[in-house]
Amino acid sequence: MTQHLKPRLTGILLAAGLSTRMGEPKQLLPFGESTIVETVVDSMLMSKLDSVIVVVGHCAQQVREKLGTRPIQIVFNPDYREGMLSSAQCGVRALNETTDAFALMLVDQPFITPTLIDTVVNAYVQTEKGIAVPSYNYRRGHPVIFHRRYADDILALGADSGGVRTLFKTYTDDIHYVTVDTDRVLRDMDYREDYERALRLAR
């Protein structure tokens, strides 16, 4: 995306899930000196993203309280029980009209640092492609950055579509893969043992 003006990028954090496999709201689990959701939001705020949208649903009020007065936009997804796609769509609908591109991030990936986010942002700014995806050992990770033109594609996806990742198949030629040297872009936490392993690694 070579141009004189840096595109305006908004980060969208999907933090609305039920955490059914974890057994308790993973957004609110202790991590480091705060919680998982605070860790991820702070990394986004310290990165080159121009603004941050946090999509909440399950335990929305507790998440709002944890995030306090941080300079972010919080939007509530009333359909959060329907899954991650509904939250991505909620976040996309909340985008400001000045946004040129948006980065999708997941709340259970607190190991993604501001530097890693910036690596993907820098690659996106420099490429002519409309999608930038970090890749570790040929596996796609997060954050994934989409040009604004893909907003309508995401909003048009149905519940049985397979989610946002279906765009990777549809628009293969418009993807720039950003090779990174760490599995931090892949690490997430679905189960209690994933969280306990993450805590050990964070020490």
Side-chain angles (χ1 to χ4, degrees):
M1 182 155 192
T2 305
Q3 58 187 58
H4 296 299
L5 293 174
K6 175 186 172 294
R8 184 167 176 79
L9 272 79
T10 296
I12 299 176
L13 179 63
L14 309 184
L18 289 162
S19 309
T20 49
R21 289 176 288 185
M22 183 69 71
E24 58 184 304
K26 64 176 94 171
Q27 304 95 313
L28 300 169
L29 288 172
F31 193 84
E33 296 180 1
S34 57
T35 60
I36 289 177
V37 68
E38 290 174 273
T39 300
V40 180
V41 167
D42 288 342
S43 291
M44 295 173 77
L45 289 171
M46 287 187 284
S47 75
K48 291 183 177 181
L49 295 171
D50 297 290
S51 57
V52 174
I53 293 172
V54 179
V55 182
V56 299
H58 186 52
C59 296
Q61 187 55 38
Q62 293 98 309
V63 174
R64 286 178 187 271
E65 289 170 2
K66 285 293 182 186
L67 294 175
T69 59
R70 288 173 174 84
I72 57 177
Q73 178 183 355
I74 297 179
V75 295
F76 178 73
N77 173 20
D79 303 315
Y80 67 89
R81 292 179 183 277
E82 296 178 12
M84 197 181 298
L85 174 60
S86 69
S87 290
Q89 291 172 328
C90 184
V92 168
R93 280 193 290 269
L95 287 170
N96 186 293
E97 59 187 22
T98 63
T99 295
D100 299 301
F102 53 95
L104 290 180
M105 293 190 60
L106 309 180
V107 76
D108 64 349
Q109 295 191 307
F111 284 107
I112 294 179
T113 62
T115 300
L116 273 175
I117 297 171
D118 288 348
T119 296
V120 186
V121 169
N122 292 338
Y124 174 80
V125 170
Q126 293 165 15
T127 184
E128 298 289 339
K129 307 280 189 179
I131 303 172
V133 185
S135 172
Y136 177 75
N137 280 354
Y138 303 100
R139 294 175 63 196
R140 289 190 296 263
H142 285 85
V144 180
I145 299 179
F146 293 93
H147 187 278
R148 178 65 178 259
R149 65 175 173 268
Y150 287 112
D152 287 342
D153 291 87
I154 291 174
L155 293 177
L157 292 170
D160 58 350
S161 65
V164 175
R165 66 169 65 105
T166 59
L167 270 64
F168 298 144
K169 296 178 182 176
T170 308
Y171 299 105
T172 304
D173 294 339
D174 200 28
I175 299 175
H176 174 60
Y177 285 101
V178 186
T179 302
V180 296
D181 60 1
T182 174
D183 68 349
R184 287 171 174 259
V185 298
L186 307 177
R187 281 190 227 159
D188 59 9
M189 289 180 264
D190 289 327
Y191 298 95
R192 188 78 197 184
E193 52 264 37
D194 298 330
Y195 170 58
E196 290 169 357
R197 187 182 312 115
L199 288 180
R200 290 195 297 272
L201 290 168
R203 287 188 186 128

